[in-house]
Amino acid sequence: MALCHVHGRLLTAAWVGDSRMLLGLPARARTSASPDEARISSSATVVPRDGKLTATTAASESAGGLEPHRNSSGGGSAWRVAWSSTDHKPELSGEAMRIKAAGGRVARSVGRQGPVGPYRVWFQEQAYPGLAMSRALGDLPGRDIGITCTPSCASIRLPDNGPAVLVLASDGVWELLSNEQVLELATETGSANEAANRVVQQSRRAWVKEYGGSYVDDITAVVMRFGMRPQQRTTSG
C-alpha cells in the first residue's frame, strides 16, 4: 500500500509492503545544491511504544526507506528517476532481523528443483503464511512473527519551478518493468490519466509475454504531473 499527501510542492509519502512510488524530474536537475533539485528528508517510521506513538528515524535499507537515484537509461532520456521508495522485502537485513527476533524465518519456497520464487516469511515449524513482504496491513497471523504494519515515510519538496512526475503503483507493475521504463511511459504525450493507462497496459503485456496469459498479477497505477501541460510532449528541452 502506498499513500502520498500533496500540498503544493510538498509531498508526504508513506508505504507498506511492495507497492512503490517514484519521482521523476528533468534530467538536467542533478545536484542537491541546485534550485531545480528535489529535497528529500530521511526516512522515518512511527513506532508504538508503551501505548504512545513515537517518531523515530530509521536506516534506509532496513526500514525500506529512501532509494538513491540510479540513472540506467543510458543518458538519452530527458527524464530521470530522482527518488523511489524501497519495497519491504523480508531478505533486507533490518527486516530479517526483526522477523527472526519475533520467532519467524525468512526463506524461499522449495520446489522439486530446489528454492524457487522470492523470499517469504514463515513460522518456524510451518509452511505458513509465506508472505513475500515484511510489512503489510491486516495480516493478523503474521504479526506474531515480525510482520508489521508500521509504514516507512518520506517528506519530499519538489523544485520550486519546472515539471515533475509522481507515480504510485502496485507490485504487478514493478515486478516486470523497471523504474526507468515506468517513468518513460508516464512522461509520454497525453494526459496523466492516459499515462496511467499506458503503465497498466504495458504491465499487462509484460505479464502475458512472461507467463503466456496463464497469470497476471494485480496491476494498479496512478500518475500525477506537476507543472506540465496535459497534451504536450513531456521533454525537458
Side-chain angles (χ1 to χ4, degrees), residues 83-176:
W83 170 83
S84 72
S85 60
T86 300
D87 304 343
H88 289 132
K89 298 295 187 181
E91 65 268 27
L92 293 177
S93 58
E95 303 293 281
M97 289 176 60
R98 185 186 68 249
I99 292 165
K100 183 177 180 180
R105 62 185 175 93
V106 175
R108 299 168 69 191
S109 299
V110 179
R112 294 182 179 180
Q113 304 299 323
V116 295
Y119 283 89
R120 299 177 182 274
V121 183
W122 315 87
F123 282 94
Q124 283 290 347
E125 305 298 331
Q126 301 179 53
Y128 176 81
L131 194 65
M133 64 188 80
S134 55
R135 304 192 186 199
L137 296 180
D139 195 287
L140 299 183
R143 65 184 179 181
D144 295 330
I145 50 173
I147 296 174
T148 178
C149 62
T150 301
S152 291
C153 305
S155 179
I156 305 166
R157 182 170 292 281
L158 299 179
D160 293 335
N161 298 292
V165 175
L166 179 69
V167 182
L168 296 83
S170 63
D171 62 313
V173 170
W174 311 109
E175 190 71 26
L176 297 177

